[in-house]
Amino acid sequence: MPKALRALHPRTLRRAKHRWQAAHPRAARALSLALTLTALALVLLALLLPNKREQFHPAVFLRLPVEALLGAAVLIALPRRARTITAALGGAALGALTVLNLTDVEFNQYLGRSFDVVLDWQLLDDARSYLADTLGGAVALLAAVAAVLLVLALLALTALATVRVGNVLGRDRSRATRALLLLSALWMTCSSLNLQVGGVPVASEHTVAMLRYHEQALRSTLRDERAFAKTAQADAFGATPGRQLVPDLRGKDMIFTFIESYGRSAIEDPVMAPGVDRTLDASTAALKKAGFRAESGWLTSATYGGGSWLGHSTFMSGLWVDNQNRYRTVTAGDHLTLTEAFRKTGAWDTVGVMPGVQKGWPEAKWYGLDKVYDAFQLGYRGPKFSWSTMPDQYTLEAFQRLAHGKKHDKPLTSFVILTSSHQPWAPIPRMVDWDRLGDGSVFRGIEAAGARPQDVITDQARSREEYGKSVQYSVTALTQWLQRYGTDDTVLVVLGDHQPIARVSGDHAGRDVPVSIVAKDPKVLDRIASWGWTEGLRPAHGAPVWKMSAFRDRFLTAYGSTPHPSKD
């Protein structure tokens, strides 16, 4: 064996360790104590780690976990070999739970919910793609590698730490047993008296509670999969003949438009609201001058912080689509969407404008879209604005050029997704003269002069400010387009898909988003007079709030559709 390899042989390393300990007994004892305390601290940290950002405060880590006492009892009772194997496996499991808790922290911060161990794995790839679009492919690759290394390191460190603690316990079982009995008595006393530090009980069952929580979430996911499949088969308008669908909107050019991350926080949060509200009020006045009226209310989105497609499908189908499995189920079926309802009449052509779609999109068939313009078919030759492939103003102008502005044998029903208000809200486009839009090259200087994503992402206050500006831009682009190209027969339904992430909207923000119907024909808005909505583009704080899934049936009913339920 080469000399270099012999030096790394475990037996050689152990001999070197013993020689060093004999030569430096004090330093060896101090180092051993430090490693033991570090291992114990790591195990306790893993047992007490919360899964929500707002729960991180010192009192949480001053608790006495019952799981540590149970684990210590098992390790003390086992012989050396079995103890080592059990400690390693238990430590690795504890590391896996730590990874899951840390993932929950990020999911709660961005999506307002915990990580679903069954459904959410594909969102990790979406996160990688988002980083690539926002910060570049190299950063996304480094982040993915770092995440994998972090997971492996946590598994290894918690396993090693648990083994070391087990070895210490097994070294003097009598003393370890007495200490365990004392700590167990302390835990029971604290539990029976409900002793607390900073409002947090000293006697902790946190890990058991987390395992129970995830086990129940898993069961709920599996039950939901079966139940929703049956729910999706029932449809109040599923068997309605085309001639009995939306008869009161015949001849109208219908436009269903989503503004990315446009939530209640944009209108009511003290940081974002002043600018957004001024824009909404000014846009309402400008539309009124052009002959349009608007009525607005609130919808509670099925998603939060991301997962826009869940909001889109919930609104358009009338089903509560709040996870990826439900989305796959509903888009694989024939549940009637709003756009399909208009297509089914035979009186409308349908079109989708999807600047965020950069690959195959089979859902177009389920939505009932005759034609879809994705990111590559809108003719854009300008720069991307972080995740957003093109500015909303250009998207709307391309929609006018390719679809809305063309002569049609039938009116058009359109499904338009606007993306400029997608995080990280840097750089944000600016409005330019509509006649200068061309192929979008005019935006090169605007993108180059804008803020850098990494500067905004790391600054919460600035993220909130820039988010508000991005919503102002999207609303301005849409309402200017409507003033410029809208006709007496144009009917616009515009809403947000979800609230922005929690670090912008706040830890306790709800899921409400604004929704508005805009038209010149007074009969269109007269049909929804009973809804109690607010006049203008800005819904009042106390305006009605419906689940987003309720809109489809209310809308179809308001405009004369006759229910004919399909059989489930």
Side-chain angles (χ1 to χ4, degrees), residues 39-214:
L40 180 61
L42 182 59
V43 170
L44 292 175
L45 178 66
L47 288 170
L48 297 171
L49 186 70
N51 71 334
K52 293 182 179 179
R53 184 182 59 173
E54 61 267 25
Q55 295 174 349
F56 277 79
H57 49 84
V60 168
F61 300 100
L62 297 177
R63 296 177 293 171
L64 180 61
V66 70
E67 301 86 2
L69 303 178
L70 296 173
V74 172
L75 295 178
I76 291 172
L78 292 173
R80 183 178 183 277
R81 184 177 180 81
R83 181 175 64 246
T84 301
I85 295 173
T86 301
L89 294 175
L94 190 56
L97 182 61
T98 301
V99 171
L100 185 56
N101 283 339
L102 291 174
T103 305
D104 277 353
V105 170
E106 293 304 310
F107 266 67
N108 279 305
Q109 181 177 0
Y110 281 88
L111 301 181
R113 61 175 177 82
S114 297
F115 178 73
D116 190 309
V117 295
V118 176
L119 303 176
D120 285 339
W121 293 105
Q122 78 171 51
L123 295 183
L124 301 181
D125 185 60
D126 290 338
R128 182 200 58 77
S129 299
Y130 166 70
L131 285 177
D133 288 335
T134 303
L135 302 177
V139 173
L141 178 60
L142 288 174
V145 171
V148 171
L149 292 177
L150 176 61
V151 170
L152 295 176
L154 281 172
L155 295 176
L157 286 174
T158 51
L160 291 171
T162 308
V163 168
R164 185 171 185 87
V165 171
N167 289 338
V168 171
L169 293 172
R171 196 175 299 157
D172 189 338
R173 293 189 180 187
S174 177
R175 181 180 297 178
T177 300
R178 290 195 298 270
L180 177 60
L181 290 174
L182 179 62
L183 290 173
S184 298
L186 176 62
W187 187 93
M188 288 186 286
T189 301
C190 292
S191 177
S192 61
L193 297 178
N194 193 27
L195 294 181
Q196 298 184 0
V197 175
V200 178
V202 174
S204 167
E205 300 177 41
H206 175 69
T207 301
V208 172
M210 291 305 302
L211 290 173
R212 188 182 301 118
Y213 167 77
H214 286 293

Side-chain angles (χ1 to χ4, degrees), residues 253-504:
D253 280 317
M254 292 298 309
I255 306 170
F256 295 96
T257 301
F258 284 86
I259 296 178
E260 171 66 37
S261 300
Y262 178 33
R264 185 188 277 261
S265 296
I267 294 175
E268 296 189 345
D269 182 89
V271 174
M272 289 93 74
V276 172
D277 288 350
R278 283 195 300 270
T279 297
L280 290 172
D281 292 344
S283 297
T284 297
L287 287 173
K288 186 175 182 179
K289 186 176 180 180
F292 288 94
R293 285 178 51 219
E295 297 284 336
S296 301
W298 302 106
L299 300 176
T300 301
S301 178
T303 186
Y304 176 96
S308 300
W309 58 95
L310 303 179
H312 301 163
S313 54
T314 293
F315 178 82
M316 299 299 281
S317 71
L319 291 170
W320 190 251
V321 186
D322 61 348
N323 61 57
Q324 191 62 22
N325 188 65
R326 286 189 168 208
Y327 181 75
R328 286 194 295 264
T329 298
V330 70
T331 55
D334 57 1
H335 201 89
L336 189 73
T337 64
L338 284 171
T339 37
E340 170 62 18
F342 282 90
R343 192 196 68 80
K344 187 177 178 180
T345 65
W348 279 271
D349 292 326
T350 57
V351 65
V353 180
M354 307 287 163
V357 172
Q358 301 180 64
K359 53 186 177 182
W361 194 55
E363 292 90 334
K365 181 179 179 181
W366 175 70
Y367 276 113
L369 301 175
D370 298 320
K371 170 68 177 176
V372 173
Y373 294 96
D374 62 21
F376 306 109
Q377 297 171 312
L378 292 170
Y380 185 65
R381 299 293 180 269
K384 291 180 67 175
F385 282 74
S386 189
W387 183 89
S388 179
T389 57
M390 63 194 71
D392 290 345
Q393 186 184 9
Y394 179 89
T395 297
L396 291 163
E397 181 66 21
F399 167 51
Q400 178 66 21
R401 170 171 45 85
L402 297 170
H404 185 265
K406 286 187 173 181
K407 289 185 178 180
H408 295 274
D409 295 333
K410 305 174 185 177
L412 196 64
T413 294
S414 307
F415 183 33
V416 182
I417 307 299
L418 301 180
T419 63
S420 289
S421 49
H422 194 287
Q423 61 174 305
W425 309 296
I428 300 172
R430 294 199 309 270
M431 295 295 296
V432 300
D433 189 296
W434 287 86
D435 295 324
R436 293 180 56 234
L437 285 171
D439 65 0
S441 298
V442 67
F443 290 103
R444 294 191 185 279
I446 295 174
E447 188 273 339
R452 298 185 306 169
Q454 53 267 40
D455 294 337
V456 174
I457 287 175
T458 55
D459 187 332
Q460 183 175 12
R462 192 171 180 191
S463 291
R464 301 179 78 194
E465 293 172 1
E466 297 304 306
Y467 161 73
K469 293 176 183 177
S470 73
V471 171
Q472 290 177 254
Y473 167 80
S474 295
V475 170
T476 299
L478 179 60
T479 52
Q480 282 193 13
W481 177 89
L482 189 58
Q483 294 169 60
R484 185 178 176 89
Y485 296 117
T487 70
D488 291 347
D489 290 322
T490 301
V491 178
L492 171 68
V493 180
V494 57
L495 70 155
D497 47 16
H498 55 71
Q499 283 265 54
I501 59 176
R503 67 191 302 267
V504 169

